Amino acid sequence: MADKELVITREEIVRRVKELGAEISRDYENNRFLVVGILNGAFMFTADLVREIKCDIEIDFIRVASYGMDTTAGTLRFTKDIELEIQGKDILIVEDIVDSGRTMMYLANSFAERGAHSIRFCVLIDKKERREVDLCPDYIGFEVPGGFLVGYGLDCREQFRHLPDIYHLQE
Ligand code: IMP
Ligand code: MG
Protein backbone atom coordinates (compact mmCIF):
# COMPACT_ATOMS: atom_id res chain seq x y z
CA MET A 1 0.00 0.00 0.00
CA ALA A 2 1.25 3.49 -0.87
CA ASP A 3 2.43 5.86 1.87
CA LYS A 4 0.26 8.82 2.66
CA GLU A 5 0.72 12.00 4.63
CA LEU A 6 -2.14 13.64 6.53
CA VAL A 7 -2.82 17.11 5.09
CA ILE A 8 -6.35 18.13 6.18
CA THR A 9 -7.91 16.68 9.33
CA ARG A 10 -11.55 15.77 9.88
CA GLU A 11 -11.78 18.63 12.44
CA GLU A 12 -10.47 21.18 9.92
CA ILE A 13 -12.95 19.91 7.31
CA VAL A 14 -15.89 20.16 9.73
CA ARG A 15 -14.94 23.73 10.68
CA ARG A 16 -14.45 24.86 7.08
CA VAL A 17 -17.65 23.21 5.81
CA LYS A 18 -19.62 25.08 8.51
CA GLU A 19 -18.06 28.37 7.35
CA LEU A 20 -18.82 27.63 3.70
CA GLY A 21 -22.42 26.73 4.55
CA ALA A 22 -22.84 29.99 6.46
CA GLU A 23 -21.32 32.04 3.61
CA ILE A 24 -23.51 30.35 0.99
CA SER A 25 -26.63 30.79 3.14
CA ARG A 26 -25.86 34.52 3.49
CA ASP A 27 -25.17 35.01 -0.23
CA TYR A 28 -28.33 33.29 -1.45
CA GLU A 29 -30.37 34.87 1.38
CA ASN A 30 -33.72 33.16 1.32
CA ASN A 31 -33.69 32.34 -2.37
CA ARG A 32 -34.37 28.82 -3.42
CA PHE A 33 -31.55 27.14 -5.36
CA LEU A 34 -30.45 23.81 -6.72
CA VAL A 35 -27.36 22.07 -5.34
CA VAL A 36 -25.70 19.73 -7.83
CA GLY A 37 -23.15 17.34 -6.35
CA ILE A 38 -20.58 15.69 -8.61
CA LEU A 39 -20.28 11.96 -8.09
CA ASN A 40 -18.41 10.13 -6.84
CA GLY A 41 -15.76 12.43 -5.40
CA ALA A 42 -18.06 15.06 -3.87
CA PHE A 43 -20.59 12.73 -2.24
CA MET A 44 -19.32 13.24 1.32
CA PHE A 45 -18.64 16.95 0.94
CA THR A 46 -22.10 17.52 -0.57
CA ALA A 47 -23.79 15.55 2.23
CA ASP A 48 -21.99 17.60 4.90
CA LEU A 49 -22.35 20.95 3.13
CA VAL A 50 -26.11 20.81 2.52
CA ARG A 51 -26.67 20.24 6.24
CA GLU A 52 -25.02 23.63 6.88
CA ILE A 53 -27.17 25.51 4.33
CA LYS A 54 -30.09 27.39 5.85
CA CYS A 55 -32.03 28.04 2.63
CA ASP A 56 -34.67 26.19 0.68
CA ILE A 57 -32.71 23.93 -1.65
CA GLU A 58 -33.18 21.09 -4.05
CA ILE A 59 -30.42 18.49 -4.41
CA ASP A 60 -29.41 16.40 -7.40
CA PHE A 61 -26.27 14.62 -8.55
CA ILE A 62 -24.37 14.20 -11.79
CA ARG A 63 -21.41 12.12 -12.82
CA VAL A 64 -18.89 12.99 -15.51
CA ALA A 65 -16.19 10.90 -17.10
CA SER A 66 -13.43 11.73 -19.52
CA TYR A 67 -12.94 9.69 -22.66
CA GLY A 68 -9.18 9.43 -22.14
CA MET A 69 -7.29 7.46 -19.52
CA ASP A 70 -5.93 10.57 -17.83
CA THR A 71 -7.77 12.18 -14.88
CA THR A 72 -7.66 15.54 -16.64
CA ALA A 73 -8.07 14.35 -20.26
CA GLY A 74 -9.86 16.48 -22.83
CA THR A 75 -13.34 15.30 -23.75
CA LEU A 76 -15.91 14.93 -21.03
CA ARG A 77 -19.37 13.40 -21.02
CA PHE A 78 -22.14 12.79 -18.49
CA THR A 79 -22.40 9.21 -17.31
CA LYS A 80 -25.25 10.37 -15.07
CA ASP A 81 -27.00 13.60 -15.98
CA ILE A 82 -29.16 15.79 -13.78
CA GLU A 83 -32.79 14.70 -13.44
CA LEU A 84 -34.31 17.88 -12.02
CA GLU A 85 -35.24 20.87 -14.18
CA ILE A 86 -32.36 23.31 -14.86
CA GLN A 87 -34.19 26.04 -16.79
CA GLY A 88 -34.35 29.33 -14.89
CA LYS A 89 -32.74 27.99 -11.73
CA ASP A 90 -29.89 29.25 -9.59
CA ILE A 91 -27.42 26.40 -9.46
CA LEU A 92 -24.60 25.66 -7.03
CA ILE A 93 -22.31 22.93 -8.32
CA VAL A 94 -20.40 21.11 -5.59
CA GLU A 95 -17.09 19.60 -6.64
CA ASP A 96 -14.34 17.81 -4.73
CA ILE A 97 -11.21 19.18 -6.43
CA VAL A 98 -10.52 21.66 -9.18
CA ASP A 99 -7.28 20.88 -10.95
CA SER A 100 -6.98 22.06 -14.58
CA GLY A 101 -10.50 23.50 -14.33
CA ARG A 102 -11.64 21.69 -17.48
CA THR A 103 -14.44 19.85 -15.67
CA MET A 104 -15.67 23.13 -14.20
CA MET A 105 -15.61 24.78 -17.65
CA TYR A 106 -17.49 21.89 -19.25
CA LEU A 107 -20.18 22.02 -16.57
CA ALA A 108 -20.51 25.81 -16.66
CA ASN A 109 -21.12 25.65 -20.43
CA SER A 110 -23.47 22.70 -20.22
CA PHE A 111 -25.67 24.27 -17.52
CA ALA A 112 -25.66 27.68 -19.23
CA GLU A 113 -26.74 26.13 -22.55
CA ARG A 114 -29.63 24.49 -20.77
CA GLY A 115 -30.93 27.78 -19.40
CA ALA A 116 -29.66 28.00 -15.82
CA HIS A 117 -30.34 31.45 -14.38
CA SER A 118 -27.01 31.47 -12.50
CA ILE A 119 -24.18 29.00 -11.93
CA ARG A 120 -21.73 29.02 -9.04
CA PHE A 121 -19.13 26.52 -7.94
CA CYS A 122 -18.27 25.40 -4.44
CA VAL A 123 -15.12 23.27 -4.33
CA LEU A 124 -13.55 21.62 -1.34
CA ILE A 125 -10.01 21.83 -2.72
CA ASP A 126 -8.55 24.20 -5.28
CA LYS A 127 -5.23 23.31 -6.91
CA LYS A 128 -5.00 26.88 -8.16
CA GLU A 129 -1.46 26.67 -9.57
CA ARG A 130 -2.53 23.98 -12.03
CA ARG A 131 -5.41 25.93 -13.59
CA GLU A 132 -5.58 25.86 -17.42
CA VAL A 133 -8.84 27.76 -17.89
CA ASP A 134 -9.91 31.26 -16.91
CA LEU A 135 -12.50 30.30 -14.32
CA CYS A 136 -12.40 30.61 -10.54
CA PRO A 137 -14.66 28.78 -8.07
CA ASP A 138 -17.00 31.02 -6.05
CA TYR A 139 -16.46 29.13 -2.80
CA ILE A 140 -13.21 27.35 -1.92
CA GLY A 141 -12.64 25.11 1.08
CA PHE A 142 -8.86 24.77 0.95
CA GLU A 143 -6.14 25.80 -1.48
CA VAL A 144 -3.32 23.34 -2.07
CA PRO A 145 -0.38 23.68 -4.48
CA GLY A 146 -0.55 20.24 -6.06
CA GLY A 147 0.11 16.59 -5.35
CA PHE A 148 -2.45 13.79 -5.38
CA LEU A 149 -4.97 13.82 -2.55
CA VAL A 150 -7.19 11.03 -1.23
CA GLY A 151 -9.82 10.58 1.48
CA TYR A 152 -13.13 12.31 2.34
CA GLY A 153 -14.57 11.16 -1.00
CA LEU A 154 -11.37 11.50 -3.03
CA ASP A 155 -10.01 8.33 -4.51
CA CYS A 156 -7.03 6.88 -6.23
CA ARG A 157 -8.35 4.12 -8.49
CA GLU A 158 -11.44 3.76 -6.24
CA GLN A 159 -9.37 3.35 -3.07
CA PHE A 160 -9.37 5.60 0.04
CA ARG A 161 -12.73 7.35 -0.52
CA HIS A 162 -14.07 6.32 2.88
CA LEU A 163 -11.27 7.91 4.94
CA PRO A 164 -12.55 10.79 7.13
CA ASP A 165 -9.38 12.89 6.71
CA ILE A 166 -7.52 14.03 3.57
CA TYR A 167 -4.09 12.66 2.74
CA HIS A 168 -1.37 13.41 0.24
CA LEU A 169 -0.54 10.19 -1.57
CA GLN A 170 3.21 9.72 -1.97
CA GLU A 171 4.52 8.49 -5.30
P1 IMP B 1 -9.98 19.07 -13.72
O1 IMP B 1 -11.01 18.92 -14.79
O2 IMP B 1 -8.59 18.97 -14.25
O3 IMP B 1 -10.17 20.33 -12.89
O4 IMP B 1 -10.09 17.80 -12.81
C1 IMP B 1 -10.92 17.73 -11.75
C2 IMP B 1 -11.19 16.27 -11.43
O5 IMP B 1 -9.99 15.47 -11.40
C3 IMP B 1 -11.76 16.19 -10.04
O6 IMP B 1 -13.16 16.19 -10.09
C4 IMP B 1 -11.24 14.88 -9.52
O7 IMP B 1 -12.14 13.85 -9.83
C5 IMP B 1 -9.96 14.63 -10.27
N1 IMP B 1 -8.80 14.96 -9.43
C6 IMP B 1 -7.92 15.96 -9.63
N2 IMP B 1 -6.98 15.97 -8.69
C7 IMP B 1 -7.27 14.97 -7.84
C8 IMP B 1 -6.66 14.48 -6.63
O8 IMP B 1 -5.65 14.99 -6.12
N3 IMP B 1 -7.26 13.41 -6.04
C9 IMP B 1 -8.38 12.84 -6.54
N4 IMP B 1 -8.99 13.26 -7.66
C10 IMP B 1 -8.44 14.31 -8.31
MG1 MG C 1 -14.46 14.53 -9.42
Side-chain angles (χ1 to χ4, degrees):
M1 202 160 114
D3 276 343
K4 34 185 188 24
E5 178 203 349
L6 181 63
V7 284
I8 308 170
T9 66
R10 176 71 190 137
E11 291 69 32
E12 290 173 298
I13 297 169
V14 169
R15 201 179 321 128
R16 191 69 190 115
V17 169
K18 271 194 203 304
E19 290 171 358
L20 287 172
E23 195 184 337
I24 291 166
S25 303
R26 266 197 312 276
D27 288 357
Y28 283 87
E29 293 173 356
N30 291 318
N31 295 325
R32 204 188 176 90
F33 62 99
L34 168 59
V35 172
V36 178
I38 308 184
L39 298 172
N40 291 340
F43 83 100
M44 243 185 236
F45 178 41
T46 307
D48 286 342
L49 182 68
V50 292
R51 282 178 280 186
E52 300 296 337
I53 294 177
K54 317 289 179 216
C55 310
D56 252 352
I57 55 170
E58 295 179 302
I59 304 169
D60 203 351
F61 292 90
I62 57 172
R63 190 165 189 190
V64 288
S66 59
Y67 282 110
M69 299 293 286
D70 212 72
T71 45
T72 57
T75 319
L76 294 163
R77 69 194 160 94
F78 287 101
T79 52
K80 185 217 173 295
D81 203 350
I82 194 162
E83 287 167 53
L84 299 182
E85 180 64 45
I86 296 172
Q87 180 70 40
K89 288 193 184 158
D90 294 308
I91 293 180
L92 180 70
I93 299 177
V94 180
E95 171 68 306
D96 52 0
I97 292 196
V98 179
D99 188 39
S100 71
R102 291 185 185 285
T103 307
M104 197 165 62
M105 186 62 95
Y106 174 78
L107 294 175
N109 291 335
S110 166
F111 281 83
E113 271 167 20
R114 293 188 280 175
H117 176 255
S118 72
I119 303 156
R120 287 185 190 171
F121 287 87
C122 176
V123 308
L124 181 66
I125 292 162
D126 189 5
K127 291 184 184 172
K128 211 174 204 156
E129 292 167 25
R130 292 176 46 86
R131 195 63 34 80
E132 292 169 23
V133 302
D134 187 22
L135 204 60
C136 188
D138 302 271
Y139 306 97
I140 298 166
F142 303 92
E143 279 182 23
V144 303
F148 202 83
L149 303 177
V150 296
Y152 193 64
L154 307 169
D155 76 307
C156 178
R157 295 187 201 94
E158 299 306 326
Q159 274 196 81
F160 312 116
R161 278 197 209 280
H162 64 290
L163 301 176
D165 309 273
I166 295 174
Y167 297 83
H168 180 204
L169 202 62
Q170 317 285 353
E171 305 305 314

